[in-house]
Amino acid sequence: MTRIRRGYIARRRRTKIRLFASSFRGARSRLTRTITQQKIKALVSAHRDRGRQKRNFRRLWITRINAGIRERGISYSRLIHDLYKRQLLLNRKILAQIAISNRNCLYMISNEIIK
């Protein structure tokens, strides 16, 4: 029987996977089966940590706002409640940046809201 030459499609698929895993160390960048396992694991971690990153940043913003506002004797929950009551569109990210860069501006905002 004559020898059958395989097509290029499988090789192209493996090359594509290898390019994804080229920065991995050891067998994780060389062996096809290990590469596919590691790729699945990496993509799962990336998907999970995108949600986790959002949570972590929200916690950080809340901590910064609370630290900045407590010096004036106002609680974080009271500030946010009054913001919603007045229907002001200042999200936590903006408030945290104001708390870091310009404390006086945050005090002025809180005084206007709480009145």
Side-chain angles (χ1 to χ4, degrees):
M1 289 199 51
T2 57
R3 179 173 157 267
I4 297 172
R5 292 179 64 215
R6 289 294 308 262
Y8 61 92
I9 295 170
R11 186 171 61 245
R12 196 167 56 184
R13 187 184 72 238
R14 289 186 198 114
T15 306
K16 197 163 38 173
I17 293 171
R18 279 211 170 83
L19 287 173
F20 178 86
S22 62
S23 62
F24 297 164
R25 293 182 63 179
R28 294 173 178 183
S29 68
R30 291 191 195 96
L31 305 178
T32 304
R33 189 178 297 173
T34 316
I35 286 172
T36 51
Q37 290 170 353
Q38 198 59 33
K39 179 181 177 182
I40 291 168
K41 187 178 174 73
L43 291 174
V44 165
S45 297
H47 180 262
R48 180 193 63 226
D49 292 338
R50 278 195 295 274
R52 200 172 274 178
Q53 184 184 33
K54 291 177 182 71
R55 283 197 298 270
N56 288 340
F57 269 110
R58 185 181 170 98
R59 283 176 60 189
L60 177 69
W61 297 331
I62 289 171
T63 307
R64 286 178 175 172
I65 296 166
N66 197 16
I69 212 75
R70 285 273 173 174
E71 294 174 357
R72 288 292 173 111
I74 305 162
S75 68
Y76 166 80
S77 59
R78 173 88 190 274
L79 176 75
I80 295 297
H81 174 72
D82 290 339
L83 272 172
Y84 276 109
K85 225 166 35 175
R86 293 247 181 153
Q87 295 179 341
L88 292 174
L89 298 174
L90 285 174
N91 60 15
R92 287 164 181 82
K93 182 178 179 180
I94 299 297
L95 284 172
Q97 287 176 347
I98 292 171
I100 289 173
S101 63
N102 195 353
R103 283 257 167 93
N104 292 333
C105 184
L106 185 67
Y107 297 148
M108 288 169 48
I109 291 170
S110 64
N111 289 338
E112 286 297 316
I113 291 169
I114 291 172
K115 281 182 186 175

